[in-house]
Amino acid sequence: MSPRKRTLVPVSSRRKAADDYFPFNLLPVECQLHVLSFLNEVDKCSCALVCASWSCLVRSWKLWRVADYSRRVGFHLGQEGLLVSNREFERWKSWVQHYTYHLISRRASLLTLRASFDLGDRCNKWGELLSHLLDNVHCRDLSHLDLNWTFTLLEPLDLRVHSSPSSHQDNITKMDKVTRFQELLSKLTQNCPRISKMRLHFDWSDLSVSLLTQFQQLRVLELKYFWVFKCVTPSTLQMLIKSLPNLKSLTLNILVPLRNLGISYTLESQSLEFLDVSPSRGLVFSCLKLPALRELRAKKIVLRVTLDRRTRTRIQSRWPCLYHVLREGTPKLQALNNERLLPTWREKSYGELTAILEQSCYCVQHLDSWLW
């Protein structure tokens, strides 16, 4: 059987098709880099195999702006860490090492760093890995930090040390985590002073607070809960917020111990526009001086401790009503707990806000039952 003959295309048609084709390599280099910037890491590496010119493009530091260690790579899990075998975890650790080497060899210029590592892990030394990365890439322009330093992604359950939360060994482990976190935070203050968005667990020790105040470009800050050495004092919280002049958004997760019930906090900031304290427990404000605040989220979380009426009244009498605190200190407030406020809410009684206040206020009028 004779081979099938190809249909002949007129020369004029072929010339027209060639004229409609615009070679990618004729674009300016900046345009080529911009196009390739939309690809993920795997696709970028595949493009490097196309030709020598593309390989040179992919090596540009401008294409490596994100270091994301929080990805599962090829794993698809229903719950973090529960279905991973030791073999898969070793494979993931190998990927972490190769990924770090890849970023360093590409002379990455990072804008974003995401990671989830247990910094108290003495075996894998995740803190040293992150420090090595920061020392060998360009991170002066790093603007977004999302760091979970209490948990290693994909770590199998049988590799974790289980002990009672009140045990001496558990306290030592947590102190190791805090020590290494403070070392890493200190390095970030030196190498990455332009961070504007930060999300991490926080121990509220004096050293950590002092280091955090050095990030003067912070605009968005989310501090999650971590085991603390002492209570977060009102002066500590106030000092931290006043030391961040560009802060626009703040999310706090603070647990006020039972022995400190009755303590109230003052918050003062000229720049803060969004405040979310709904994850906190027992956090009460006696004074807010937030002239730019537009939205507040606060939730009253009741603890399971029964107090007699006399003790309850004595504690609650120290707390002002949230309505009066907001009326006096937040002139631009427009939303409370995702509810839009009327422009005249300050001029009327708080009857229209009763439902919201009962969910947020700890004063005597809005807290009838005490199952703390």
Side-chain angles (χ1 to χ4, degrees):
M1 188 179 205
S2 60
R4 188 173 180 180
K5 295 183 179 180
R6 296 173 54 187
T7 305
L8 296 178
V9 180
V11 175
S12 58
S13 299
R14 282 183 288 176
R15 287 177 179 172
K16 183 178 180 180
D19 292 339
D20 292 339
Y21 170 71
F22 186 84
F24 179 76
N25 291 342
L26 293 184
L27 288 171
V29 174
E30 292 297 327
C31 293
Q32 297 181 40
L33 291 174
H34 180 70
V35 172
L36 294 177
S37 67
F38 292 97
L39 302 177
N40 57 38
E41 285 88 344
V42 176
D43 291 337
K44 289 175 187 175
C45 293
S46 299
C47 288
L49 302 177
V50 173
C51 61
S53 61
W54 282 30
S55 178
C56 183
L57 280 174
V58 172
R59 294 178 188 275
S60 172
W61 57 267
K62 295 182 180 180
L63 291 182
W64 305 99
R65 310 286 267 173
V66 177
D68 190 356
Y69 290 94
S70 62
R71 295 174 300 145
R72 292 184 174 88
V73 198
F75 301 97
H76 301 282
L77 308 177
Q79 297 180 357
E80 291 183 349
L82 297 182
L83 303 177
V84 179
S85 66
N86 293 345
R87 181 178 179 181
E88 290 172 330
F89 182 57
E90 292 298 324
R91 184 157 62 94
W92 180 79
K93 288 198 300 181
S94 177
W95 171 83
V96 169
Q97 297 294 337
H98 283 87
Y99 185 48
T100 303
Y101 172 79
H102 181 80
L103 291 171
I104 294 175
S105 64
R106 293 292 181 268
R107 296 176 299 156
S109 179
L110 298 182
L111 295 178
T112 300
L113 173 60
R114 301 187 186 96
S116 183
F117 294 123
D118 180 359
L119 297 188
D121 189 339
R122 299 181 179 181
C123 177
N124 294 298
K125 300 180 179 179
W126 301 116
E128 293 183 9
L129 181 140
L130 291 176
S131 295
H132 179 64
L133 174 71
L134 294 174
D135 286 335
N136 291 276
V137 299
H138 181 77
C139 54
R140 197 73 183 174
D141 296 327
L142 186 73
S143 61
H144 182 190
L145 175 68
D146 190 343
L147 178 63
N148 182 345
W149 48 275
T150 67
F151 171 78
T152 300
L153 189 69
L154 299 177
E155 184 177 10
L157 290 176
D158 56 355
L159 291 183
R160 301 178 190 171
V161 179
H162 290 276
S163 59
S164 171
S166 59
S167 68
H168 179 65
Q169 181 61 40
D170 189 59
N171 288 343
I172 293 178
T173 302
K174 289 180 177 179
M175 292 179 67
D176 285 342
K177 291 181 182 180
V178 172
T179 300
R180 286 163 176 76
F181 163 66
Q182 291 172 344
E183 293 173 354
L184 182 62
L185 192 61
S186 178
K187 183 174 290 291
L188 287 167
T189 61
Q190 301 170 14
N191 295 12
C192 317
R194 301 175 184 173
I195 295 179
S196 61
K197 184 176 182 180
M198 184 181 294
R199 179 187 183 195
L200 43 72
H201 295 262
F202 201 61
D203 64 290
W204 289 102
S205 61
D206 292 339
L207 178 56
S208 296
V209 172
S210 176
L211 291 171
L212 191 57
T213 58
Q214 298 183 37
F215 294 96
Q216 292 293 292
Q217 301 301 317
L218 268 178
R219 296 174 62 86
V220 179
L221 178 62
E222 180 177 349
L223 299 179
K224 298 184 177 181
Y225 173 76
F226 183 71
W227 172 79
V228 294
F229 300 112
K230 60 182 180 180
C231 172
V232 181
T233 63
S235 59
T236 299
L237 180 60
Q238 174 69 341
M239 185 270 291
L240 174 62
I241 305 307
K242 291 186 67 173
S243 302
L244 302 174
N246 296 301
L247 193 64
K248 299 292 185 181
S249 174
L250 175 65
T251 301
L252 293 175
N253 188 345
I254 296 176
L255 189 152
V256 179
L258 289 175
R259 65 179 180 274
N260 294 315
L261 286 178
I263 292 180
S264 55
Y265 294 75
T266 297
L267 209 59
E268 182 178 351
S269 172
Q270 297 297 318
S271 60
L272 196 63
E273 297 179 357
F274 173 82
L275 175 62
D276 185 0
V277 295
S278 58
S280 299
R281 179 177 295 180
L283 182 62
V284 180
F285 292 109
S286 59
C287 180
L288 293 176
K289 296 181 180 179
L290 306 174
L293 190 70
R294 297 181 180 275
E295 182 175 356
L296 170 67
R297 296 178 186 175
K299 182 179 180 181
K300 178 173 60 183
I301 299 179
V302 180
L303 307 179
R304 298 186 177 276
V305 177
T306 304
L307 299 178
D308 59 77
R309 183 176 181 83
R310 185 176 180 178
T311 303
R312 179 192 62 153
T313 305
R314 185 176 69 252
I315 295 176
Q316 287 178 273
S317 63
R318 305 176 187 175
W319 294 335
C321 180
L322 180 62
Y323 172 79
H324 299 294
V325 174
L326 295 178
R327 187 178 64 177
E328 296 174 4
T330 59
K332 294 185 178 181
L333 189 66
Q334 299 176 357
L336 176 60
N337 290 348
N338 298 319
E339 296 287 342
R340 192 75 175 177
L341 301 178
L342 295 176
T344 58
W345 70 271
R346 295 174 191 81
E347 303 170 3
K348 301 179 181 179
S349 64
Y350 55 81
E352 60 187 57
L353 301 179
T354 301
I356 303 178
L357 292 173
E358 287 179 350
Q359 301 173 2
S360 309
C361 185
Y362 284 92
C363 76
V364 177
Q365 183 172 353
H366 298 110
L367 187 59
D368 297 330
S369 62
W370 262 56
L371 289 175
W372 275 61

